[in-house]
Structure formats: C-alpha cells, structure tokens
Amino acid sequence: MNNLKKRVSYYYDSDVGAYTYGLGHPMKPHRIRVAHDLIVAYDMLPKMHVLRPPRASPEAMTAFHTDEYIHFLNRVTPETSSELTYGGTRFLVGEDNPPFEGVFEFCSISAGGSIAAARRLTSGAADIAINWAGGLHHAKKREASGFCYINDIVLGILELLRVYPRVLYIDIDCHHGDGVEEAFYTTDRVMTCTGTQSDKGRGKGKGYAVNVPLKDGISDASFASIFEPIIAQIIESFQPDAIVLQCGADSLSGDKLGCFNLTMAGHAHCVQFVRKQNIPFILLGGGGYTVKNVARTWAFETACALGIEDEIDRSLPWNDYFEWFGPRYRLEVVQNNMEDLNVKDGSLETVKINALEQLRALKAAPSVAMQDTPRESLLHELGFGKETTERDALDESLAQHSRFVYKLQESDTSSSDEEDDESDNSESTPRRRTHRSRSKRHTNGRMSLLTGRYFDVPGHHNHGSNKDSKAKSVRRFFQSRLGWSDMYEKVVVKGEEADFFARGRLAELMERGGLTVNAMEDRWGSEERLDNAEDEWIEMDED
C-alpha cells in the first residue's frame, strides 16, 4: 500500500446511468451507476470529496468542437436524425453512434465532470480527481466516432493548459485514442501515449505523440514490462505538470469488444504506478463492455487512488447489483487462456526500444511563457450561459422573424436533399452489399467498433465517397481543406484560394466576389461564356 495520503475528489451525477444507446448496443452508461454502487458499498465516499459536476454548457463544448456540431447535438433526436445528418453523411456517420434520446444531456454530464475535475486540480484543491463518466477519446472536432460524441478529455486538457505548461495523456484503453492525439498533434505542450507506432506528431508536436502498438492477448506481466519504463522515461524527458489517465476497461480479460488479457490487478497497476509519481492527475473512464468487470475494476481503481487497495475485502459486500457478480461474488477479474502474441513473436521488446529511442531523441522539456490566468473564463466574463428574462417587444419580433427565415432555409435544404436521396437510392445497391464492399477499402476509412468493418467518412462538403483515393494516404485534419505544409511546417489552406493569397492576387479574388475561376465556370459554364458575361457587365457599366 502507498501510505502517502492524497486529496481525492470524486465526481458523480446520478442521472448518468439513466441513458441508453439503444437495445443491443454494447455501450452501457449504466455501468457507471453499478461502479458507483460498489464504491458506496465499500464505504469509500467518506474518504473523498464527493461532488456533483455542473453540466457543461454548449459554449464550453465549443472550446474544441465546432459550433455547428454542438448545435446539431443540442437538437438531434431519433426522429430528426436522418434530416439533420443529411442521410447519415454528417456528424453521425456509421452505426456506432446512434442519436439516442437525451444524447446532449449525457454529453454535458460527461464533459462537465472532466472540466470540473481539471479545475479542481488547477485550483490546488485536489491531488487526484475522478470522473468515471468521462474518457470518451474517439470524438472528433465536428463528428461523433466510436461511441463517443463529445471529447471530454480534450476539453479537460484545455482547461489544465490554462495553468499547467505541460500535460501528459496516457491511454490504457484497448483502442487507439485517436481523437485526443489528433487534437494535440501539432503542439509540444501535450504528450499523448497511446495507439499505433506510425504517428509521432507534426511541426512543434513532432515526437510528442508516443504510440505503443500491442497485439492480442497481452498479459499483466507483459503490459507492466512495457508500461513502466516508457512512462518513467516520458516523465523524465517531458516533465509533465499534470497527467490525464484514461482507464478504458475494454483491455480487461473477457471484454466483449476487447482483445487483451489483463486482470483487474494488472489494469489497476497503471493507476498505482502513476500515483507514485506524485504528480496531480485525473482518472477517467472510457471503453469497457462487460459491465460487471468494468464496475469491479473502476471501484478497485478508486481504492487505488485513495491508497486503500490492500485494506478492502475482495469478497463483495451486499449492494443493489449483488446478483450480477455471481457465481464468485468477488472483487476480481481473472485471466483466460488467450495466447500472448506479443511474447510469441518477440515484438514487445522491439516496440519498447522504438518508443524509448523516440523519447531520448527529444530535447529538453519544452518551455512555455506563462502569465497570470484569469479566475473566470472569457465566456463566463462575457455572460455566456447566464439566463436572462429581459426581452422586449423588439427582441420577440426579431426572434420570430429569425425563426421564420431559418425554417424556410431548412425546408429548401430538405427538399433538395430528398431529391438527391431519391436519385441515389434508385442507383444504389442493397445496404449489406455496400457495407461489405466498403470494408475492403480499410486504408481510407474508419473502423466501426460494433462491426469491426471499415467505412468511408465523407468530407464536410462531400456527401459521397472519394473516388480519387489512389494517391498516398496523408493525414487529414477533420476532413477539411486544411493540410500540412512541409515547407512552412504548419497547417495551411490548400486549393486555388490559397494560391491567390500566396501570389498576392487578393484584389483579383475580391473582384470576382470571392469566387475562383473553377467556381465561376461551374456557375456560368465555359471560360468563353464567362468572358462574354464579363463583357456584358462592362457594357452595362458604360451605359
């Protein structure tokens, strides 16, 4: 037992267990309620500061996510999903993220807990903060992914960066924490330790994405042999001021969607090791789809955070879900007979050597010019999120007019989309056959956690698949027109518009009303018709 006492804050909202992704979906928010019930049964609450987190506001979520995506989540229901997602081509792509009832409220609980936990650390009120409702590491800037809608981890780290110069993110989930890595891919203030070995960061962030790919069946001993030296080297090289530990439980043995063979003790060893570093850290949830094992592990890791893991009885006390833990009724998750492929082919040592060499190649810990941090955020200072009832007749009239205009725009858009859908449906193949063909093009798609198959993610302005995908695959930032420039070593706008700025032809672009030559040809036809149209305008000006 670690005798050094820590101040632990525990965030829990009793409403979180009431939401459901739908019948048959593997993600069960109710697991957080079951874990909390075990924590209560073990009488851990008096040893912590138990807090109910404030719900995250839409404005707080836009610290990372786009306004249109947050607006969508705030409006979407199962009935309006098809219309608001444009037939499943925006925001909620694939089958992993259903538009269940109360999805925005669920997200506000998850995000609110992680933001509050970060603020608890930055205020100095706690050494460890726990939010088992958080850890949703797949969510992207403007779309849901892998059962995750809002990336509470990114929001929490952004809050930590207001005070701490450097933050370390550790992910022990079975799946790659791509949403978090992508958010901090070009900065050296956040080091991410997760996922596949091919990604190492870009620009200032090059070398600060440490990826440790593991194969199926990894055991406790193998996991500890690679976790401890890599995390120790990261702490020595990066010198983080705070740590965020995502404790996804799908890496446990026997998980419905996982492929590892960790016991509860092996999983919790990561929490114990991080706690010994005496660095403030946040404990978050994540994946985990065998509910009784998730609840056991998170309850035990709460005890590890308190430093009382050796004091609690491994025979479960009576609780409301006692029958769920039969037939052994013990606080344990045991190994199965899976073969550890990491040891069989000797790849574990190679992965460890590569990661350590990457860390040793880094220069000294990056310095940050810090300044006094306002106690309140800019949004709070400006009054966002504060309700007001002071509305006069002019306000009501403007609001009514805005609703009327917006409704007209919605109806025009939906009618045009229905026409497109009819033409697409007449030429499309059956759904199952299409899904099977997409799974073959896995290099340019995204994998569904539900089916294990890959599907194409259309761009923001492209509702179909990209047929010109034979070129070498390059990392794309949120499917936008932004891209990485090796020349300038930063993210730049690609395309003809960027060429106008680069060549100093801004005046020419403004004369065309912001339209490029290609865009004007699409509107007016050929270049000859475009010249004729310009001549007509000149004649009209002369008249």
Side-chain angles (χ1 to χ4, degrees):
M1 183 184 75
N2 189 351
N3 292 318
L4 184 60
K5 188 174 181 180
K6 304 283 188 180
R7 297 169 300 164
V8 181
S9 295
Y10 173 76
Y11 286 92
Y12 176 72
D13 190 315
S14 58
D15 293 339
V16 71
Y19 298 96
T20 173
Y21 278 52
L23 186 65
H25 198 287
M27 175 61 97
K28 310 290 185 185
H30 191 65
R31 66 204 174 127
I32 304 164
R33 173 82 176 270
V34 182
H36 176 76
D37 206 65
L38 273 181
I39 292 169
V40 173
Y42 274 110
D43 198 29
M44 297 186 205
L45 295 187
K47 301 176 177 65
M48 305 183 287
H49 297 281
V50 183
L51 303 165
R52 179 172 182 171
R55 306 284 176 93
S57 66
E59 292 79 17
M61 296 179 187
T62 57
F64 171 61
H65 296 281
T66 62
D67 293 356
E68 60 175 351
Y69 177 54
I70 299 302
H71 181 60
F72 159 79
L73 282 180
N74 207 359
R75 299 168 57 211
V76 69
T77 64
E79 295 76 22
T80 61
S81 172
S82 179
E83 176 186 356
L84 296 180
T85 62
Y86 300 91
T89 60
R90 293 188 190 179
F91 307 129
L92 303 180
V93 182
E95 302 173 357
D96 288 358
N97 296 83
F100 62 88
E101 196 69 44
V103 60
F104 185 80
E105 288 75 17
F106 172 73
C107 293
S108 67
I109 293 173
S110 172
S114 296
I115 295 173
R119 289 174 178 169
R120 190 77 174 173
L121 257 62
T122 57
S123 67
D127 303 309
I128 303 172
I130 303 172
N131 175 34
W132 294 127
L136 305 180
H137 58 172
H138 291 304
K140 304 300 190 298
K141 188 177 183 67
R142 67 180 189 191
E143 67 181 10
S145 176
F147 310 161
C148 307
Y149 299 84
I150 292 295
N151 202 315
D152 64 284
I153 305 174
V154 174
L155 296 175
I157 292 176
L158 289 175
E159 189 66 31
L160 291 174
L161 290 175
R162 297 180 68 239
V163 175
Y164 296 125
R166 293 174 298 277
V167 176
L168 169 62
Y169 170 69
I170 306 172
D171 193 318
I172 59 174
D173 195 285
C174 182
H175 302 99
H176 178 41
D178 53 344
V180 182
E181 181 187 280
E182 192 172 70
F184 301 107
Y185 200 64
T186 60
T187 179
D188 58 359
R189 293 189 62 191
V190 178
M191 178 172 281
T192 58
C193 183
T194 177
T196 57
Q197 192 104 27
S198 57
D199 294 339
K200 294 185 178 180
R202 285 277 191 153
K204 290 180 65 177
K206 188 170 184 179
Y208 292 90
V210 181
N211 290 284
V212 186
L214 302 173
K215 296 183 179 180
D216 293 1
I218 190 166
S219 63
D220 291 353
S222 298
F223 197 82
S225 70
I226 195 169
F227 182 86
E228 290 187 8
I230 290 178
I231 298 302
Q233 184 63 47
I234 287 176
I235 292 174
E236 179 183 344
S237 302
F238 185 62
Q239 299 178 15
D241 301 280
I243 298 175
V244 177
L245 178 59
Q246 196 265 17
C247 299
D250 51 6
S251 50
L252 290 169
S253 171
D255 190 81
K256 293 179 179 179
L257 298 182
C259 55
F260 289 174
N261 195 17
L262 297 181
T263 67
M264 181 187 73
H267 196 273
H269 177 74
C270 301
V271 178
Q272 295 169 324
F273 184 80
V274 171
R275 188 181 189 273
K276 292 177 182 177
Q277 308 307 313
N278 294 323
I279 299 173
F281 72 98
I282 300 175
L283 275 180
L284 300 176
Y289 310 101
T290 303
V291 172
K292 59 183 180 180
N293 289 347
V294 175
R296 285 181 174 119
T297 302
W298 288 352
F300 183 70
E301 289 174 347
T302 303
C304 292
L306 291 168
I308 60 171
E309 62 269 27
D310 294 335
E311 300 176 10
I312 60 177
D313 189 354
R314 298 305 174 94
S315 296
L316 291 174
W318 175 259
N319 59 86
D320 291 341
Y321 301 95
F322 188 76
E323 293 83 359
W324 290 32
F325 301 100
R328 294 174 60 84
Y329 304 102
R330 290 184 58 80
L331 189 67
E332 63 182 9
V333 178
V334 297
Q335 280 186 335
N336 56 32
N337 59 354
M338 286 183 68
E339 184 179 17
D340 189 347
L341 299 181
N342 301 272
V343 175
K344 182 179 180 180
D345 61 4
S347 62
L348 196 65
E349 190 65 23
T350 303
V351 169
K352 180 172 69 174
I353 292 173
N354 290 339
L356 293 176
E357 286 180 352
Q358 175 185 337
L359 291 169
R360 293 190 184 104
L362 295 177
K363 299 178 181 179
S367 59
V368 180
M370 301 298 291
Q371 56 187 8
D372 290 338
T373 304
R375 294 185 179 181
E376 294 183 350
S377 66
L378 180 61
L379 290 174
H380 190 275
E381 182 67 23
L382 294 176
F384 284 94
K386 298 179 181 178
E387 297 183 1
T388 177
T389 56
E390 298 179 1
R391 296 181 65 177
D392 55 19
L394 181 59
D395 291 331
E396 295 290 346
S397 177
L398 289 173
Q400 183 178 4
H401 178 71
S402 300
R403 286 194 297 269
F404 176 73
V405 173
Y406 186 69
K407 197 66 179 176
L408 285 178
Q409 293 176 348
E410 275 191 337
S411 61
D412 292 342
T413 304
S414 61
S415 62
S416 62
D417 289 340
E418 289 174 1
E419 294 176 0
D420 294 340
D421 291 340
E422 291 177 0
S423 61
D424 291 340
N425 291 335
S426 63
E427 300 175 359
S428 61
T429 57
R431 183 177 180 181
R432 290 185 178 178
R433 186 178 303 171
T434 304
H435 197 74
R436 190 179 300 115
S437 64
R438 284 179 176 180
S439 65
K440 297 178 182 178
R441 302 193 305 273
H442 61 275
T443 55
N444 295 324
R446 178 174 297 154
M447 188 185 79
S448 167
L449 296 184
L450 275 176
T451 63
R453 299 173 177 174
Y454 289 81
F455 57 91
D456 293 328
V457 180
H460 183 59
H461 298 290
N462 179 17
H463 294 176
S465 61
N466 184 10
K467 298 180 180 179
D468 301 326
S469 59
K470 296 181 180 179
K472 183 179 178 181
S473 176
V474 180
R475 185 177 199 58
R476 301 185 64 189
F477 289 81
F478 314 116
Q479 300 294 329
S480 69
R481 299 201 62 183
L482 299 178
W484 181 261
S485 171
D486 292 327
M487 179 183 297
Y488 298 106
E489 293 189 351
K490 64 179 181 179
V491 178
V492 298
V493 181
K494 292 185 176 181
E496 192 177 355
E497 296 91 337
D499 184 60
F500 276 98
F501 287 96
R503 298 175 180 271
R505 298 163 62 191
L506 180 59
E508 181 181 347
L509 183 63
M510 294 177 64
E511 288 179 1
R512 294 178 175 176
L515 295 176
T516 63
V517 175
N518 294 335
M520 295 187 70
E521 287 184 3
D522 291 340
R523 176 175 294 186
W524 297 101
S526 64
E527 187 173 356
E528 182 178 352
R529 289 184 58 191
L530 182 63
D531 295 337
N532 294 336
E534 291 179 352
D535 293 339
E536 292 176 5
W537 280 104
I538 294 173
E539 292 176 1
M540 291 175 63
D541 293 339
E542 291 176 352
D543 294 341

